[in-house]
Amino acid sequence: MQSKKYLIILSFLTFSILSHAQTYKFQDDRLSAEERSENLVSLLSLEEKVGQMLNAAPAIPRLGIPAYDWWNEVLHGVARTPYYTTVFPQAIAMAATFNPDALNKMADYAALEGRAIYNDAIKTGKSGQRYVGLTYWTPNINIFRDPRWGRGQETYGEDPYLTGTLGKAFVKGLQGDDPKYLKAAACAKHYAVHSGPEPSRHVFNVSPTMYDLWDTYLPAFKDLVVDAKVAGVMCAYNAFKGQPCCASDDLMTDILRNQWQFKGYVTSDCWAIDDFYKNHKTHPDAASAAADAVIHGTDIDCGTAAYKALVDAVKQGKISEKQIDISVQRLFTIRFRLGMFDDVAKVKYAQTPKSVLESQAHQAHALKMARESMVLLKNQNQILPLSKNLKKIVVLGPNADNTIAVLGNYNGIPSTTITALKGIQDKVGAQTQVVYEQAVNFTNDTLLRYINLDNYFSFEGKQGFKAEYFDNQNLSGLPIFVRNEKSIQNFWQEGQIVVNNLKAYNFSARYTADYKAHETGEITFELEGDDGYKFFINGKEVLNAWTRNRWGAKTFKLAIEKDKVYRLVVEYQQTEGKASIQLRTGTRYKQDFDALAKKHQDADAFIFVGGISPQLEGEEMPVNYPGFNGGDRTSILLPQVQTDLMKALKKTQKPIVFVMMTGSAIATPWEAAHVPAIINAWYAGQSAGTAIADVIFGDYNPSGKLPLTFYASDKDLPDFEDYNMANRTYKYFKGKALFPFGYGLSYTNFNYTWDNKPSQNVYKENEIINTAVNIKNIGNKDGDEVLQVYIKYPQSDKLLPLKELRYYKRLSINQKQSANTKINIPINDLKKWDDTKQALTLVSGKYGLFIGSHSEDAKLNFEFFVQN
């Protein structure tokens, strides 16, 4: 590890010397990034060029080129880094704000934090490591076509127009506006027809109609590539019309490179090139797969380095070295545009200090976005907001005090995280008794009652555990320190001293003890750690979260006999960031919901914080609880056990507020009919709890809108694997939604009137519908309204949208005040794919335009005709 650090430092020193002497043309910052890249690539050997096409590109010391890892994430704040960063709401929650300006600012702030991390990594010898670079593989602009997809939480919802406008705002904020240098490099993923199922993502092949391709799956990518000038694109795992996406004639060559003239870089999704020959079986070996991917314009292989076979592929004539040059030039062009080889005094962002991390402005914006993301789904008899002067509030549920849920996935780690419980406690203060009981798990009512068994653990005559610490991540060699520890309850901040001079990163530990059973029966061990751990009982591995540990604590139930001895071994490894490892013990018990409700009969209100969490939905996860499979869901219904608990609470006749955390649409037919207040709180980031409490107690007037349809039943959904859009999303769904796209209540009311109703009712190509609307806040609270404009299309045997969002705007309007908004809808934006003409074409016929607060709210209507 030390030699690698010295090599990195030496590389920078070497480059500094060469730069001063202006030895090579590529060192002249007066030239364009393209000219410099072309010169640099001309100096490289074939082997050196191929090395630069791996996500972890090695250093080239002779030219002063430092190592660089392209892989970094900034979905909703800089993620996975060893630094504390600001964690904004999950992407789907940010979409619920319907606020491109806020998303633009969030991306700007995140890019600043990323610059600070990159600059500090150079100073501290960490450059070249993963998750400290300036190339971020975000945003995920796949269309959330089916609510069962676990990664839908990473997207901006089901609508291409909303996704495109938010995606463009994000890219422009992240990349900055400097004419020469990028602040950071964004990457649009996963190009282009990709949205589950997760368990089959490495093998499935999709062949959507050309209409669906151009109407649903491509518009947001075109927005980012053509309009926002995104620096990168990531191609998807799956195949498209029989070809892996990263080697698709249609997607990569014809559309991306030729039609859209994309000049940036393309990276594969990680290990996607391996899928060519291992899973899709479209190519015989790595050399053939790598050559075909590069020929189709995939410049980086993220994964296990299938691209190393490119050297042989060139020698075998499968690809020319000139084609390799094209890809490597694209990659170095991005690095030159990021200012990685220039004097820091000349690069606008290279002086960004660490003090921007979690700055006051960034934290304030995270709270603002969390507030704006909250969607009030129901407020019967205006039960909300609750009074802050209640005597007793009972907070229940699996997400009430769950920091994993509020942070989502692809997340950073903030120094402070506010759960719903903490936010409520902070809001009401000491004058209100706030009682917390988890009460229920996500999918079952069997809980763990913790018990202290420290006195039953011993090793070689000493009470407690033998703790061995190693100065590496894999327990290799002899421990550098051994001591006795009474229990395993360890937490360290990054860099904190663990023992002697061992700091809390890049280390491992082993804890060993004999447990003498205190009774006959069963005991449950609960293990939780950051980063990875394994648990052995009598030499048998019973838990393994060594490399994929992001779902919270794991448990193992052991049948025990009184006085029998069981050898326990916990192995633990830590890389970077905070370090923690805890072993807890307890007994399982079944919750009695009626008894629980009776116990708290004196409560003034119940707040149930449930839903689901990133522990259940996400990317390719080993989760198989009822209703969940591999990161996806098999049912969109709220788990029945949570409904059963709320039914018991309902019997008390006390107010119930259901706070639902989720990254996707949940069907709640019983709750919608019987629970008086429902707030959809998503995974709202580090300040989620504060935002939830602000809404519940009236310090913020809710204004979030649903960026996807909340269906009533699983029966409303077509086959998950069917990528045709008929009867999918609000645009084509012919049923009745439980809560429609764009829906969200407020504590005030708004009145809509025409300010300038269109007088023209026949339009042709290149014309624009011009109108204006007045919105008045007629209630007694200041509030935000999201004006939404939809187009209704002619209906015939041909598939066309039933309705389609074409404009929206968030407006802040004080009580009794009004806001005027001008609306312009270009007729050309209404073009749809025509198979006969093989082009986007206007469809003649009768159209409708309606304006309101969601997709089923036509407060203002206007009919018109389009002539082609």
Side-chain angles (χ1 to χ4, degrees):
M1 192 67 190
Q2 291 296 321
S3 61
K4 181 179 179 181
K5 184 182 293 185
Y6 291 143
L7 178 59
I8 293 170
I9 295 172
L10 178 62
S11 297
F12 274 96
L13 291 173
T14 304
F15 177 73
S16 178
I17 295 169
L18 291 173
S19 178
H20 181 72
Q22 285 290 298
T23 308
Y24 299 106
K25 184 178 177 182
F26 76 82
Q27 295 167 323
D28 187 350
D29 61 22
R30 295 170 299 179
L31 300 177
S32 70
E34 291 76 13
E35 290 174 303
R36 298 172 73 183
S37 177
E38 182 178 3
N39 173 252
L40 174 54
V41 173
S42 72
L43 303 173
L44 304 180
S45 68
L46 174 61
E47 288 75 12
E48 287 172 328
K49 294 172 186 175
V50 169
Q52 297 302 303
M53 298 174 72
L54 310 177
N55 69 279
I60 307 175
R62 68 183 182 86
L63 296 175
I65 307 300
Y68 182 70
D69 198 315
W70 289 76
W71 190 347
N72 208 348
E73 308 288 353
V74 67
L75 182 65
H76 51 120
V78 183
R80 300 178 177 177
T81 176
Y83 301 79
Y84 286 129
T85 58
T86 308
V87 179
F88 298 87
Q90 177 61 291
I92 194 70
M94 293 193 294
T97 69
F98 278 61
N99 191 342
D101 292 340
L103 206 71
N104 179 271
K105 181 178 286 189
M106 169 265 156
D108 174 38
Y109 286 166
L112 282 174
E113 295 200 10
R115 271 286 175 175
I117 291 168
Y118 175 76
N119 296 342
D120 189 69
I122 293 175
K123 294 177 184 177
T124 57
K126 294 179 182 178
S127 62
Q129 296 179 11
R130 187 172 297 174
Y131 305 135
V132 299
L134 297 174
T135 44
Y136 295 99
W137 291 347
T138 304
N140 182 342
I141 54 169
N142 290 133
I143 297 303
F144 199 176
R145 65 180 176 91
D146 192 299
R148 289 167 289 199
W149 186 35
R151 296 192 73 181
Q153 62 178 292
E154 303 169 27
T155 75
Y156 300 135
E158 70 184 25
D159 182 65
Y161 177 77
L162 179 65
T163 297
T165 54
L166 295 176
K168 285 190 291 186
F170 178 94
V171 169
K172 291 177 180 178
L174 193 79
Q175 295 189 168
D177 56 5
D178 187 85
K180 183 172 184 178
Y181 294 111
L182 293 169
K183 181 183 294 187
C187 178
K189 69 182 186 185
H190 310 82
Y191 184 65
V193 189
H194 180 85
S195 52
E198 283 297 298
S200 58
R201 65 181 184 165
H202 297 285
V203 296
F204 72 76
N205 173 62
V206 294
S207 298
T209 65
M210 289 296 288
Y211 173 86
D212 285 339
L213 179 68
W214 285 97
D215 182 64
T216 297
Y217 298 114
L218 290 184
F221 282 98
K222 183 180 180 182
D223 285 343
L224 268 61
V225 169
V226 176
D227 296 339
K229 309 300 180 185
V230 70
V233 168
M234 175 185 284
C235 46
Y237 288 116
N238 56 282
F240 175 80
K241 296 185 177 180
Q243 292 180 304
C245 283
C246 295
S248 167
D249 293 338
D250 290 342
L251 296 179
M252 295 291 292
T253 304
D254 179 36
I255 297 172
L256 184 64
R257 296 295 187 184
N258 292 341
Q259 291 190 43
W260 295 347
Q261 291 292 295
F262 179 59
K263 305 299 183 185
Y265 82 96
V266 173
T267 179
S268 75
D269 206 340
C270 296
W271 299 278
I273 307 303
D274 295 53
D275 286 341
F276 286 27
Y277 54 96
K278 293 180 179 178
N279 295 312
H280 294 305
K281 308 295 184 182
T282 53
H283 296 73
D285 50 38
S288 299
D292 201 20
V294 175
I295 288 170
H296 281 85
T298 304
D299 307 306
I300 291 177
D301 170 25
C302 175
T304 51
Y307 270 18
K308 288 181 179 179
L310 284 170
V311 174
D312 288 337
V314 171
K315 294 176 181 177
Q316 296 167 10
K318 296 180 185 294
I319 188 173
S320 68
E321 188 169 352
K322 184 177 180 180
Q323 187 72 54
I324 300 288
D325 290 349
I326 294 172
S327 284
V328 183
Q329 285 173 18
R330 288 188 191 125
L331 298 177
F332 275 113
T333 295
I334 295 294
R335 292 180 69 179
F336 280 119
R337 291 184 65 199
L338 287 163
M340 290 182 172
F341 306 104
D342 294 353
D343 185 342
V344 296
K346 296 182 179 181
V347 182
K348 181 177 179 180
Y349 312 108
Q351 297 86 29
T352 307
K354 281 179 65 178
S355 59
V356 304
L357 298 177
E358 297 190 297
S359 71
Q360 185 175 354
H362 297 188
Q363 295 194 56
H365 194 61
L367 175 57
K368 169 185 164 65
M369 294 199 77
R371 286 169 169 160
E372 291 185 0
S373 76
M374 298 288 145
V375 183
L376 181 61
L377 296 177
K378 186 180 179 184
N379 192 21
Q380 183 178 353
N381 298 325
Q382 285 70 54
I383 184 177
L384 293 178
L386 294 181
S387 168
K388 297 175 189 173
N389 297 318
L390 301 179
K391 292 182 179 180
K392 179 179 177 180
I393 297 172
V394 179
V395 181
L396 308 161
N399 277 330
D401 200 31
N402 187 352
T403 57
I404 295 174
V406 299
L407 295 182
N409 73 353
Y410 278 82
N411 59 287
I413 301 295
S415 56
T416 302
T417 302
I418 307 297
T419 64
L421 175 64
K422 182 66 165 57
I424 292 165
Q425 290 170 331
D426 291 344
K427 181 65 64 176
V428 297
Q431 76 275 8
T432 301
Q433 181 187 9
V434 178
V435 178
Y436 165 64
E437 294 198 33
Q438 181 179 324
V440 66
N441 293 315
F442 290 109
T443 62
N444 65 69
D445 57 0
T446 301
L447 304 178
L448 190 65
R449 181 180 289 113
Y450 295 117
I451 55 177
N452 189 339
L453 295 178
D454 290 351
N455 293 333
Y456 295 88
F457 298 130
S458 64
F459 186 80
E460 295 181 350
K462 294 182 180 180
Q463 185 179 344
F465 288 78
K466 176 186 178 182
E468 304 170 272
Y469 290 92
F470 300 79
D471 60 357
N472 56 74
Q473 295 171 225
N474 53 9
L475 302 157
S476 62
L478 296 174
I480 64 167
F481 194 84
V482 181
R483 68 182 178 189
N484 178 263
E485 296 182 8
K486 184 178 179 181
S487 61
I488 307 176
Q489 294 292 327
N490 292 324
F491 180 91
W492 303 276
Q493 299 291 355
E494 185 189 16
Q496 182 179 340
I497 298 297
V498 178
V499 289
N500 285 6
N501 293 319
L502 180 66
K503 293 185 177 181
Y505 51 77
N506 297 323
F507 78 101
S508 54
R510 181 185 292 115
Y511 304 91
T512 306
D514 292 321
Y515 163 60
K516 187 175 182 179
H518 62 296
E519 63 182 7
T520 297
E522 64 180 34
I523 191 74
T524 295
F525 294 99
E526 183 177 76
L527 198 61
E528 185 170 16
D530 180 4
D531 286 326
Y533 55 84
K534 297 177 184 178
F535 186 36
F536 302 84
I537 300 179
N538 290 340
K540 180 182 178 181
E541 181 183 290
V542 295
L543 293 176
N544 188 329
W546 194 254
T547 59
R548 294 181 67 81
N549 172 32
R550 57 186 180 207
W551 303 291
K554 289 182 176 291
T555 61
F556 179 78
K557 183 172 65 176
L558 176 68
I560 55 176
E561 297 178 22
K562 184 175 174 57
D563 295 332
K564 186 173 180 179
V565 176
Y566 302 85
R567 171 60 59 90
L568 310 181
V569 178
V570 174
E571 294 183 348
Y572 169 71
Q573 65 96 7
Q574 170 65 15
T575 54
E576 296 171 319
K578 65 183 179 181
S580 63
I581 182 71
Q582 294 97 34
L583 178 68
R584 298 179 286 263
T585 54
T587 56
R588 294 178 183 272
Y589 71 98
K590 189 176 180 66
Q591 183 70 267
D592 185 328
F593 294 155
D594 287 330
L596 180 69
K598 185 176 181 180
K599 173 183 172 183
H600 296 297
Q601 183 67 42
D602 61 337
D604 294 304
F606 291 100
I607 301 175
F608 176 71
V609 190
I612 56 180
S613 95
Q615 296 156 272
L616 297 171
E617 62 173 345
E619 182 178 7
E620 203 171 17
M621 297 166 60
V623 172
N624 57 0
Y625 296 108
F628 301 87
N629 177 42
D632 297 326
R633 289 189 289 159
T634 58
S635 172
I636 62 170
L637 281 170
L638 181 72
Q640 184 62 41
V641 69
Q642 298 185 44
T643 298
D644 290 343
L645 173 57
M646 282 186 276
K647 286 181 177 179
L649 299 179
K650 180 73 173 177
K651 295 175 185 177
T652 68
Q653 298 185 336
K654 297 298 179 71
I656 303 171
V657 179
F658 176 27
V659 178
M660 183 164 61
M661 292 185 185
T662 179
S664 49
I666 296 181
T668 54
W670 185 88
E671 289 75 14
H674 300 285
V675 175
I678 304 175
I679 299 169
N680 198 80
W682 313 104
Y683 310 137
Q686 65 182 48
S687 297
T690 302
I692 290 168
D694 284 346
V695 169
I696 289 176
F697 295 98
D699 286 336
Y700 182 79
N701 188 353
S703 56
K705 303 291 184 177
L706 295 179
L708 66 165
T709 302
F710 274 46
Y711 301 95
S713 167
D714 292 327
K715 296 178 182 178
D716 292 329
L717 304 177
D719 188 312
F720 190 5
E721 296 184 0
D722 184 356
Y723 270 71
N724 291 314
M725 291 304 296
N727 211 37
R728 285 193 183 279
T729 75
Y730 81 96
K731 289 176 62 175
Y732 300 104
F733 179 54
K734 295 181 179 179
K736 178 67 176 176
L738 188 66
F739 298 109
F741 175 88
Y743 179 84
L745 301 175
S746 170
Y747 292 153
T748 190
N749 295 295
F750 299 94
N751 184 61
Y752 285 61
T753 56
W754 290 108
D755 193 51
N756 178 27
K757 186 174 182 178
S759 56
Q760 181 180 346
N761 60 8
V762 178
Y763 293 87
K764 297 181 180 179
E765 191 170 6
N766 298 322
E767 292 188 319
I768 296 174
I769 301 174
N770 296 302
T771 185
V773 174
N774 178 277
I775 301 179
K776 184 175 183 179
N777 182 342
I778 59 175
N780 296 318
K781 281 184 174 288
D782 298 344
D784 284 11
E785 172 69 322
V786 178
L787 174 150
Q788 301 169 44
V789 182
Y790 294 86
I791 297 294
K792 290 183 177 180
Y793 285 76
Q795 297 300 306
S796 62
D797 293 338
K798 181 178 180 179
L799 182 66
L800 287 171
L802 300 170
K803 65 192 79 168
E804 180 178 65
L805 182 70
R806 292 310 314 171
Y807 179 86
Y808 66 91
K809 187 172 184 179
R810 172 178 278 268
L811 301 165
S812 295
I813 310 174
N814 292 338
Q815 55 182 304
K816 311 307 180 186
Q817 299 298 308
S818 299
N820 294 318
T821 301
K822 293 182 179 180
I823 300 165
N824 301 309
I825 309 290
I827 292 297
N828 284 351
D829 288 352
L830 309 186
K831 290 182 177 180
K832 298 299 177 185
W833 181 264
D834 186 291
D835 282 331
T836 302
K837 297 180 180 179
Q838 289 291 291
L840 293 169
T841 306
L842 281 175
V843 177
S844 297
K846 181 181 178 181
Y847 287 70
L849 178 151
F850 71 89
I851 302 172
S853 60
H854 60 78
S855 60
E856 293 183 5
D857 179 39
K859 287 185 169 69
L860 302 175
N861 285 281
F862 166 66
E863 291 185 348
F864 62 97
F865 291 85
V866 169
Q867 293 181 353
N868 185 4

